[in-house]
Amino acid sequence: MLEGLPPHKPTHSMRLAADEASAKAMVELLGEFFDPAETAVAAFEAADGRWHLEVYFSSAPDEAAILSLLRPIVGDAVDAAVFAPIEVKDWVRASLEGLKPVRAGRFLVHGSHDREVVRANDIAIEIDAALAFGTGHHGTTLGCLLELVAELKRGRPRHVLDVGTGTGILAIAAARALHEPVVAGDIDPVAVAVARANARLNGARDHVRLYAAPGVQHRLAARAGHYDLVFANILARPLRLLAPSLRKVLAPQGTLVLSGLLVRDVPGVVSAYASQGLALVRRAEREGWATLVLRRGGAAPRPRR
């Protein structure tokens, strides 16, 4: 699990081994304490079964203050925390070490070191360390992948949009499964570059159409009533702000999948989309994060003032 988006230029890290409950509690606490645009907090289970907390800072942290903040959770074990300067390219590579392949139906997200685990009928998506958010191990990305599996059982959407694509996993998965063009965008040009490279690596270059812009503010995405399936895996506040524009591009019978929000943020996000005529039809929770599936049928849109 990861609280907030990774800083573009992380300069320092902190690492600490802990039990699962403590690691998740520290993610929750640090996610509340720090600005998510400046600090990313991750907790994951390594191959050896131990849980690890990792924090990435955009500037040198106040080590004493952080240790004091975490001490009530893990006691004197916090003194084993390791602070260190890092290079820009190292933070994702460090966080991926020891992570296992992730499966969602036929989709298998794996690193280059795990190619041998791919089965004959898998739709394998290879994602290695890069400066962008989305490895498939995070509860939000996995939640969206599982909803893509569910949607493919319902039918075959022809027009798919992935807003906040990160490393491009969802767009690549949809393109590989459907053999149809998928539009994907991100506000971060670095993420778009990474997604483009990943699409090329995974044989989806000709089907993934990428753009760099906020939300759907690009000619590829801003097509009223066009998209049968829309993913938006971002954060709660931008999801609320995007409600009118995402409703506008969603086809009348389309499905909207939202993720990147903590469980406590669900009511506010659901309310924002209900006011746009979109009803919640399903929700799932993984690692403290929620994934929402919405379709038209909620309250009528509020009149403009």
Side-chain angles (χ1 to χ4, degrees):
M1 58 190 300
L2 185 149
E3 175 84 26
L5 297 177
H8 293 316
K9 296 181 179 179
T11 62
H12 293 74
S13 70
M14 187 201 84
R15 295 171 185 166
L16 176 64
D19 60 86
E20 179 179 358
S22 295
K24 292 182 176 181
M26 289 188 288
V27 166
E28 187 81 10
L29 176 61
L30 293 174
E32 290 282 354
F33 191 81
F34 288 103
D35 182 347
E38 301 294 331
T39 304
V41 189
F44 60 88
E45 183 180 14
D48 61 5
R50 300 181 69 194
W51 277 77
H52 296 265
L53 171 76
E54 294 191 352
V55 190
Y56 300 93
F57 306 93
S58 60
S59 59
D62 184 336
E63 298 182 13
I66 293 171
L67 296 181
S68 177
L69 189 66
L70 298 180
R71 194 173 297 277
I73 298 177
V74 293
D76 291 342
V78 76
D79 294 326
V82 177
F83 291 86
I86 59 173
E87 296 183 10
V88 172
K89 66 179 181 180
D90 286 344
W91 77 268
V92 177
R93 181 170 287 106
S95 69
L96 289 179
E97 288 178 357
L99 292 179
K100 302 172 184 178
V102 171
R103 181 174 294 281
R106 288 181 58 203
F107 298 113
L108 182 73
V109 182
H110 66 93
S112 57
H113 57 287
D114 279 320
R115 291 172 181 165
E116 71 278 0
V117 305
V118 177
R119 303 172 188 167
N121 292 326
D122 284 343
I123 300 177
I125 303 171
E126 184 174 310
I127 303 291
D128 265 332
L131 191 61
F133 176 55
T135 66
H137 297 86
H138 187 242
T140 62
T141 308
L142 178 57
C144 289
L145 273 175
L146 290 170
E147 293 304 336
L148 174 58
V149 172
E151 285 300 307
L152 292 175
K153 291 179 180 178
R154 291 182 67 245
R156 293 182 61 83
R158 293 188 56 200
H159 305 293
V160 179
L161 173 64
D162 179 17
V163 180
T165 193
T167 52
I169 286 179
L170 297 176
I172 294 167
R176 291 278 306 279
L178 296 167
H179 304 289
E180 296 280 357
V182 174
V183 174
D186 201 288
I187 194 172
D188 182 2
V190 174
V192 173
V194 170
R196 181 172 288 109
N198 285 333
R200 185 183 307 113
L201 173 67
N202 287 279
R205 179 182 60 181
D206 294 338
H207 288 98
V208 176
R209 299 174 179 175
L210 290 154
Y211 68 89
V216 296
Q217 296 179 31
H218 190 277
R219 60 177 180 79
L220 288 175
R223 303 181 66 181
H226 181 71
Y227 292 100
D228 309 304
L229 177 59
V230 177
F231 292 100
N233 182 12
I234 317 177
L235 291 171
R237 184 173 183 275
L239 284 177
R240 291 195 299 269
L241 295 174
L242 284 170
S245 58
L246 292 182
R247 177 195 59 80
K248 185 175 182 180
V249 302
L250 188 67
Q253 303 302 316
T255 297
L256 175 62
V257 180
L258 305 179
S259 197
L261 59 153
L262 296 169
V263 173
R264 66 171 182 263
D265 297 320
V266 169
V269 172
V270 170
S271 177
Y273 283 82
S275 71
Q276 297 297 320
L278 296 171
L280 178 66
V281 297
R282 185 167 61 253
R283 67 179 278 181
E285 297 176 9
R286 293 171 184 84
E287 303 174 1
W289 297 83
T291 301
L292 310 179
V293 179
L294 303 100
R295 299 192 185 101
R296 294 184 187 273
R302 295 174 182 169
R304 293 182 179 179
R305 295 181 179 178

